[in-house]
Structure formats: structure tokens, C-alpha cells
Amino acid sequence: MPAEVPARKTISTPLGDGTLNARDFNAASAYGPPIRVLPDVHVLKIGGQSIFDRGKAAVWPLVEEIATCAKQHQIILGMGGGTRSRHAYSVGLELGLPTGIIAAIGNSTSLLNARMMQMLMAKHGGILVNFEEFEKLPIYIRNGGIPILVGMPPFHQWERPPETGRIPANRTDAGVYLMAEFLGAKSCIFVKDEDGLYSDDPKKHPNATFIPKISTRALRDMDPNDLAIERVVLDYMERAAHMRHVQIINGLKRGYLTRALDGEHVGTVISADPHACGMLSEG
């Protein structure tokens, strides 16, 4: 006779009566919203090509402004990869490398800028934080430090295939945004080289119209050929528990970052909740 199959051992839990793949099962889960891990933190994305690649004339004033703001605000920096990442992507694509390896390459170029930024911010408390040390963020912040991280999310070989091509959809904008969402941060600010969003690329079309605030839905309806932040961020915003709006500011204009951290509406606010833009004062 075949051996009797033992009964399945169970653990009493509301999630024990269905698979985690069932759409209605997940939608009906009765758990409340997640906690805000670091609710007073401002997460800043420093553009690689837009800011860091411009060198001393652009970076040093921004370093000083961040250092001054850090005396009143808790700040975490996420670094972009810039032109070097684009060159590395080009080489990787020509060699036929898959998306996952190209994502890992993007992490390396972002790390270059993070290391340089940490040296510039060292005297102000800047500290380079690796992904393995992520849980130490509260300690660094409580002791007055300014954590600096690679902007690229650590998906690497597990990066999902993009809709078109092989360049990873989740790059440094997405990584910094996802960090802000996880932390339940106070704000997520993208520091670029333009005042915000325009109806067209202002570098190529000087008559382009500035957009002070817009919803993710309206931005999708515009369907611009190019966008100042990665499109996947719009997807994440619409599903987010905390970070339902982001702000794009011009880091080349001294004082804009200070005003944004103080809650002013400078630059462009993109919101998954259209009415949320009105919560910020007009600048």
C-alpha cells in the first residue's frame, strides 16, 4: 500500500485561505496602510547629466545650498549617472548585453557620482551609504549626517524587460522615487537643469509653455515624446501609498532648492492626486 500522505500543516493567518496571486484576494485584504519609516526626510535626486556633468560651476553652489538646508531639514541624496551611463549603455547595447546587465552597469556609473558627491559633502556630514547599509539611515540622519546613495535601484539582473528596446525602464529617477515611497518621506524632489516641465523641450523650442503643476493622468494624455523624469515613475505614483506627488526644480538657480524644501511651489509639481498640488503655496 502507498504511504499515507500527511495532512498539510497550517498556520492561522488571514492570508492562509488563498493564493497570493488571486486578484480579488489581495484587493480584499483588510490590513491598513504601511507606516512612514522616515516621515520627516526629504529625498533629493541630483541629476547626473543635468547637474553633475556640468562640473564645479554647477555643483559647488548646489553643495553649499544643500549643506545650509541640512541644518534645518533632514536630507537624503540619490545620484544620477549622467553622460557616462549613456555611453556605457551604448557600448552594452552594441555588444548585445541583456537588460539586466545594462541595469547593473547603470548602478556603477551612478556610484561614481555618489562617491564624488560624498567627498564634496564630507565636511558637511555627507556619507556614502551602500544598499547593504540601508537600515542604518536613521542613525546617520539622527547624528546630523547627509546620506548619499546610488540612484539606480538594485534590481540589476532582475530588472524587468522594458516595453521597447533593452535600456532598463527603472533607472536613477525610479530608484530615488522608490526609496522615497518606501521611507514615507516628506517630499521627493528632482533637481534638474530646467525650471520644470514644458509643453516641449525648451532647449530646442524656446517658445515652449511652462507647466507649473499637472496630474499624472494629464501628463499621460499629453504623451510627450520626451519627459524630464522616467515614465515608470508615473506608474509608481499612481499605485503609491505615500509619495503621491513629486517636484521638479532647477538646481542651477540658487535658492530654488531652499524654497522647495520650505514647502513653496517652485518648479513643477506632478501629482497622482490632482487636488494635492493645491496643498503647496504658489511661488
Side-chain angles (χ1 to χ4, degrees):
M1 293 181 61
E4 182 177 350
V5 177
R8 184 183 64 178
K9 295 182 179 179
T10 60
I11 301 174
S12 178
T13 171
L15 299 179
D17 295 330
T19 74
L20 297 181
N21 299 320
R23 186 180 297 109
D24 57 347
F25 182 70
N26 277 289
S29 60
Y31 294 98
I35 64 170
R36 304 184 84 100
V37 178
L38 291 176
D40 296 322
V41 161
H42 297 272
V43 178
L44 312 183
K45 159 67 190 301
I46 308 300
Q49 189 174 57
S50 57
I51 298 294
F52 216 78
D53 287 353
R54 293 177 180 270
K56 185 176 181 179
V59 175
W60 266 119
L62 184 60
V63 165
E64 295 301 323
E65 186 169 3
I66 292 172
T68 300
C69 291
K71 296 175 182 178
Q72 298 180 345
H73 301 282
Q74 297 178 10
I75 293 174
I76 295 175
L77 303 181
M79 300 301 298
T83 303
R84 280 160 294 163
S85 66
R86 288 157 173 76
H87 173 67
Y89 289 160
S90 297
V91 174
L93 291 171
E94 184 179 357
L95 293 174
L97 299 180
T99 295
I101 293 300
I102 294 175
I105 291 172
N107 179 83
S108 300
T109 52
S110 178
L111 178 59
L112 294 176
N113 286 343
R115 288 190 180 280
M116 288 191 283
M117 191 64 162
Q118 190 273 323
M119 289 290 101
L120 299 178
M121 296 294 305
K123 64 181 181 181
H124 304 296
I127 181 171
L128 183 65
V129 179
N130 297 317
F131 292 129
E132 295 80 5
E133 300 175 312
F134 195 80
E135 292 83 357
K136 298 178 182 177
L137 283 176
I139 299 174
Y140 299 140
I141 292 173
R142 184 178 290 272
N143 284 279
I146 304 174
I148 302 167
L149 293 95
V150 170
M152 201 79 176
F155 298 162
H156 296 179
Q157 286 90 337
W158 288 266
E159 168 70 29
R160 67 181 62 187
E163 292 185 5
T164 57
R166 295 201 309 277
I167 296 175
N170 294 283
R171 300 185 301 278
T172 54
D173 286 348
V176 172
Y177 172 81
L178 290 172
M179 175 169 58
E181 164 63 14
F182 163 74
L183 295 175
K186 194 170 186 177
S187 72
C188 182
I189 301 173
F190 293 87
V191 183
K192 304 280 187 175
D193 61 352
E194 296 290 349
D195 289 344
L197 294 183
Y198 288 81
S199 58
D200 211 328
D201 185 347
K203 295 185 178 72
K204 301 176 182 178
H205 304 276
N207 295 325
T209 304
F210 176 66
I211 303 173
K213 52 188 175 182
I214 190 170
S215 69
T216 53
R217 179 178 297 180
L219 192 52
R220 290 182 189 281
D221 291 341
M222 283 179 57
D223 192 25
N225 178 59
D226 201 0
L227 197 58
I229 63 172
E230 293 154 21
R231 297 177 191 274
V232 71
V233 173
L234 305 180
D235 299 332
Y236 294 146
M237 287 174 63
E238 293 171 353
R239 302 198 297 266
H242 302 305
M243 197 52 56
R244 302 280 292 176
H245 70 269
V246 300
Q247 195 166 357
I248 302 173
I249 68 166
N250 193 334
L252 301 179
K253 294 185 176 180
R254 191 68 181 263
Y256 273 42
L257 176 59
T258 301
R259 293 171 61 188
L261 290 171
D262 287 340
E264 288 191 46
H265 184 164
V266 294
T268 295
V269 171
I270 304 174
S271 177
D273 304 309
H275 67 279
C277 292
M279 296 168 60
L280 299 171
S281 61
E282 293 289 345

